[in-house]
Amino acid sequence: MKRSTHQPILWMLALALVLASLPLMLGANTIDKLTTLFIFMLLATTWGLLAGQAGLVSVGQQAFFGLGAYFALRLVDGGWSAYPALFAGAVGAAVVAWVLSFFVLRLKEGEFAIATWVVAEVIRILVMLDPIVQGETGTSLLALNQVDPELRRNLGFWMALGSLVFMLGVTAWLLRSAVGTATRAIGEDDEAAASLGVRVTPTRRRVYVLASFGAALAGVAWLASAITFLPRTNFGVQWSVLMLFMALVGGLRSQWGPLVGALLLFVLQESLGHLGAWYLAGLGAVAMVFALWLPRGLAGVWDAWRARRHQPTDPSLSITNLPRSSTP
């Protein structure tokens, strides 16, 4: 039993070690693209946990994506080294999420979604008022320019990969714990879960803070790679839209589905991103198809195919071959 429980974790760690060695073998352009892919996967994982498991549809996770980076800039301006400041910035964003949870988690469904978007916009405006950010102009994490470009690129890659592995591991552990059971019950029906004794708000708070911390880790990994900080980019609602797309297409209720959704988004972006508005229209069309006809995403398609494959094929088991009961 223990072997079956720990085997996926061991495989994940082995794969992570292989991926971590890629900067020694691949070119700069490929490493940059893989860093972007890992950031997408990290965002998809956190939103899948938040919306797919806990039923919290947030349109404001970009607040923590941007806050982690902003706090890192502030810490570096205060004398911190760049990379410790990046990690501390993500922790600071998680603390803000914990404080906000006492207010936003009082709301439900549409109210919660709208409130998270409003909070994200308020935070963006407040950050733009900071002189160090220079309003719409933005700023850069100049301390990273002192690092050798190749080393900086590799560190950004390892940061994104390490954050993804950490979040996948914590999410897997959480969903296998009592908190994970309670989270899934709340995601199905929070009122029914509460009637069974599940502590709805504290459970959702844990998930909300963890997902926000993951979004902040993605934000600081993005800053470590891009160096520049632009409020309309780092706090842009497009991050939440991409999270929704990846989780919806991959499979909201699946642990691995959002990763597949992130991979699909990355492939579409690399192959069709040059089309501009048509590319965005295509993403919208794909999302609409999945929302209307494939609500369980690619993970649901895979599960349905496996279920059909394992159905008995013996003709003697067909209902048409069962003996008819005689009429008394």
Side-chain angles (χ1 to χ4, degrees):
M1 192 63 146
K2 285 186 177 180
R3 184 179 177 183
S4 63
T5 301
H6 295 298
Q7 204 169 35
I9 298 177
L10 294 176
W11 278 110
M12 184 177 70
L13 291 176
L15 178 60
L17 290 175
V18 172
L19 292 173
S21 66
L22 291 181
L24 305 177
M25 298 177 283
L26 300 178
N29 186 51
T30 303
I31 294 302
D32 286 338
K33 292 181 183 300
L34 287 175
T35 302
T36 301
L37 174 61
F38 294 153
I39 291 173
F40 282 177
M41 287 183 166
L42 179 56
L43 290 172
T45 299
T46 60
W47 207 85
L49 173 65
L50 188 65
Q53 304 297 333
L56 293 171
V57 180
S58 171
V59 194
Q61 291 304 101
Q62 67 271 16
F64 309 108
F65 185 93
L67 266 181
Y70 168 70
F71 285 154
L73 287 167
R74 262 293 164 197
L75 290 172
V76 169
D77 188 63
W80 282 52
S81 298
Y83 289 100
L86 289 168
F87 177 76
V91 174
V95 173
V96 173
W98 178 76
V99 173
L100 289 174
S101 69
F102 288 92
F103 302 96
V104 296
L105 292 182
R106 295 171 181 261
L107 307 173
K108 290 188 176 184
E109 299 177 353
E111 293 176 343
F112 173 81
I114 294 172
T116 54
W117 175 73
V118 171
V119 168
E121 285 298 294
V122 170
I123 291 175
R124 179 183 66 83
I125 292 171
L126 292 176
V127 167
M128 287 172 57
L129 295 177
D130 189 339
I132 194 176
V133 177
Q134 306 177 59
E136 293 284 358
T137 305
T139 185
S140 299
L141 189 57
L142 297 177
L144 289 179
N145 287 329
Q146 302 173 7
V147 182
D148 177 73
E150 183 177 356
L151 176 60
R152 183 177 69 231
R153 182 180 301 107
N154 293 345
L155 288 174
F157 173 87
W158 289 324
M159 181 182 296
L161 174 61
S163 298
L164 174 61
V165 172
F166 168 78
M167 191 56 57
L168 287 174
V170 172
T171 300
W173 170 81
L174 178 72
L175 293 178
R176 285 169 173 76
S177 68
V179 175
T181 303
T183 300
R184 284 189 290 269
I186 294 169
E188 292 288 346
D189 190 329
D190 56 346
E191 294 182 357
S195 68
L196 295 174
V198 175
R199 301 176 64 199
V200 174
T201 301
T203 301
R204 278 183 163 170
R205 179 170 294 117
R206 292 189 184 98
V207 173
Y208 181 71
V209 173
L210 176 60
S212 301
F213 180 57
L217 286 174
V220 297
W222 183 269
L223 178 63
S225 176
I227 299 180
T228 58
F229 178 85
L230 300 171
R232 287 204 175 274
T233 298
N234 293 75
F235 287 96
V237 73
Q238 75 271 7
W239 294 111
S240 282
V241 173
L242 294 179
M243 291 182 222
L244 187 153
F245 176 88
M246 293 183 286
L248 177 65
V249 171
L252 271 174
R253 305 291 290 177
S254 169
Q255 288 182 243
W256 59 266
L259 298 178
V260 177
L263 181 59
L264 177 62
L265 174 65
F266 176 77
V267 171
L268 291 175
Q269 188 180 78
E270 289 298 313
S271 57
L272 303 176
H274 64 280
L275 298 178
W278 287 106
Y279 160 71
L280 297 177
L283 288 184
V286 171
M288 186 181 302
V289 168
F290 276 87
L292 293 176
W293 292 291
L294 298 169
R296 295 178 59 200
L298 293 174
V301 174
W302 170 259
D303 291 340
W305 178 80
R306 289 186 63 191
R308 288 195 301 270
R309 185 183 178 190
H310 289 87
Q311 283 179 347
T313 57
D314 188 350
S316 64
L317 298 179
S318 173
I319 190 170
T320 59
N321 293 327
L322 294 177
R324 298 174 182 266
S325 58
S326 58
T327 304

